[in-house]
């Protein structure tokens, strides 16, 4: 069955350092890989999308890589700040009729001041 | 983009009762999605709500337990029927206006069944 794994349940990073989160998947061939941020008591908020034919995508302090051979995506937050503390979700989607998006469990990121 | 209004934001319900969650979108969308998120778990898709046809349910979810309405292109409801404590969870509605592109979520409904 399809499976998405995010590297750890929780990650503590010192303020100013780069936080790197990992997303691995099996039994799936996504057309898109997405990253979302979720704060407590709120719905997920979209951050970045990367297509299967793209290697890297950047947006301000965020960078996402996508390796379809390794079936892995890395999500980087550079110059991390305490306000970056949240749960980050990896999600996969295909260009199918059903257009379903499948989510990983998420990684709780804590940026320590 | 899409703005989604979901209500109620939270509720505490008695075992055996039913709760209907409403989801209103500020634009017309073909498909709306209902997810469940249990503590420490990923978002699990319950069903896809299509306007003008029956909802499509994922494995493990049935219409009798989670009936869905989709009367028009901007509104949907999910009912959690005959609730038990195992139904305590966060329920989220979502839309993805463009195929394969970003999804937008409501703020979620935190349901506690006692």
């Amino acid at each position: 069955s399809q499976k998405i794994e995010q590297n750890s349940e929780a990650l503590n990073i010192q303020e100013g350092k780069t936080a790197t989160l990992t997303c691995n998947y099996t039994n799936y061939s996504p057309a898109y890989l997405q990253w979302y941020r979720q704060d407590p008591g709120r719905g997920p908020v979209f951050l970045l999308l990367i297509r299967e034919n793209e290697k890297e995508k950047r947006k301000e302090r965020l960078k996402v890589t996508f390796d379809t051979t390794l079936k892995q995506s890395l999500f980087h937050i550079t110059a991390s700040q305490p306000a970056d503390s949240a749960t980050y979700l990896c999600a996969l989607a295909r260009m199918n009729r059903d257009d379903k998006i499948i989510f990983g469990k998420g990684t709780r990121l804590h940026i320590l001041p | 983009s899409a703005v989604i209004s979901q209500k109620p934001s939270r509720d505490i319900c008695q075992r055996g009762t039913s709760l209907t969650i409403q989801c209103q979108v500020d634009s017309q969308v073909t498909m709306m999605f209902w997810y469940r998120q249990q503590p420490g778990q990923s978002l699990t898709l319950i069903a896809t709500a299509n306007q003008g046809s029956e909802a499509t349910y994922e494995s493990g979810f049935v219409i009798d337990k989670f009936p869905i309405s989709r009367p028009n292109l901007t509104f949907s409801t999910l009912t959690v029927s005959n609730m038990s404590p195992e139904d305590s969870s966060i329920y989220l509605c979502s839309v993805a206006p463009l195929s394969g592109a970003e999804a937008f979520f409501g703020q979620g409904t935190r349901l506690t069944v006692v």
Side-chain angles (χ1 to χ4, degrees), chain B residues 37-70:
Chain B
Q37 187 176 30
Q38 294 177 313
Q41 301 298 313
S42 64
L43 281 74
T44 301
L45 184 63
I46 297 171
T48 302
N50 307 301
Q51 196 270 333
S53 64
E54 291 262 333
T56 303
Y57 288 82
E58 296 299 305
S59 175
F61 298 97
V62 296
I63 188 171
D64 289 345
K65 177 66 176 178
F66 298 101
I68 287 172
S69 78
R70 185 78 201 275

Side-chain angles (χ1 to χ4, degrees), chain A:
Chain A
S1 62
Q2 301 155 357
K3 198 172 181 182
I4 303 174
E5 288 186 348
Q6 295 191 236
N7 59 322
S8 58
E9 287 194 11
L11 190 62
N12 295 324
I13 299 292
Q14 203 67 40
E15 181 178 6
K17 301 293 186 184
T18 296
T20 299
L21 284 62
T22 305
C23 175
N24 295 289
Y25 60 93
T26 56
N27 298 326
Y28 204 74
S29 297
Y32 302 90
L33 189 143
Q34 306 174 4
W35 285 89
Y36 291 78
R37 169 180 173 145
Q38 187 174 24
D39 291 285
R42 309 293 294 271
V45 174
F46 172 81
L47 296 174
L48 277 172
L49 176 153
I50 187 166
R51 294 177 174 80
E52 60 180 339
N53 61 349
E54 297 176 318
K55 296 291 185 187
E56 182 178 298
K57 186 73 73 76
R58 291 175 184 261
K59 179 182 177 183
E60 298 173 352
R61 294 185 296 112
L62 308 180
K63 185 178 85 171
V64 173
T65 64
F66 192 14
D67 188 326
T68 55
T69 301
L70 291 179
K71 295 186 182 293
Q72 181 181 78
S73 173
L74 299 178
F75 176 78
H76 307 272
I77 305 175
T78 59
S80 59
Q81 305 166 1
D84 295 326
S85 299
T87 296
Y88 291 85
L89 305 173
C90 167
L92 305 176
R94 289 186 294 204
M95 292 291 290
N96 284 349
R97 286 174 53 194
D98 55 15
D99 286 343
K100 287 186 289 189
I101 300 176
I102 300 173
F103 287 84
K105 285 186 181 182
T107 296
R108 287 195 314 278
L109 177 64
H110 301 282
I111 304 300
L112 307 173

Side-chain angles (χ1 to χ4, degrees), chain B residues 14-55:
Chain B
Q14 294 292 322
R15 183 194 303 252
T17 63
S18 298
L19 175 72
T20 295
I21 302 168
Q22 299 180 4
C23 184
Q24 178 76 50
V25 189
D26 68 343
S27 57
Q28 293 185 340
V29 291
T30 304
M31 291 189 288
M32 296 176 72
F33 304 93
W34 287 97
Y35 289 87
R36 182 172 72 184
Q37 187 176 30
Q38 294 177 313
Q41 301 298 313
S42 64
L43 281 74
T44 301
L45 184 63
I46 297 171
T48 302
N50 307 301
Q51 196 270 333
S53 64
E54 291 262 333

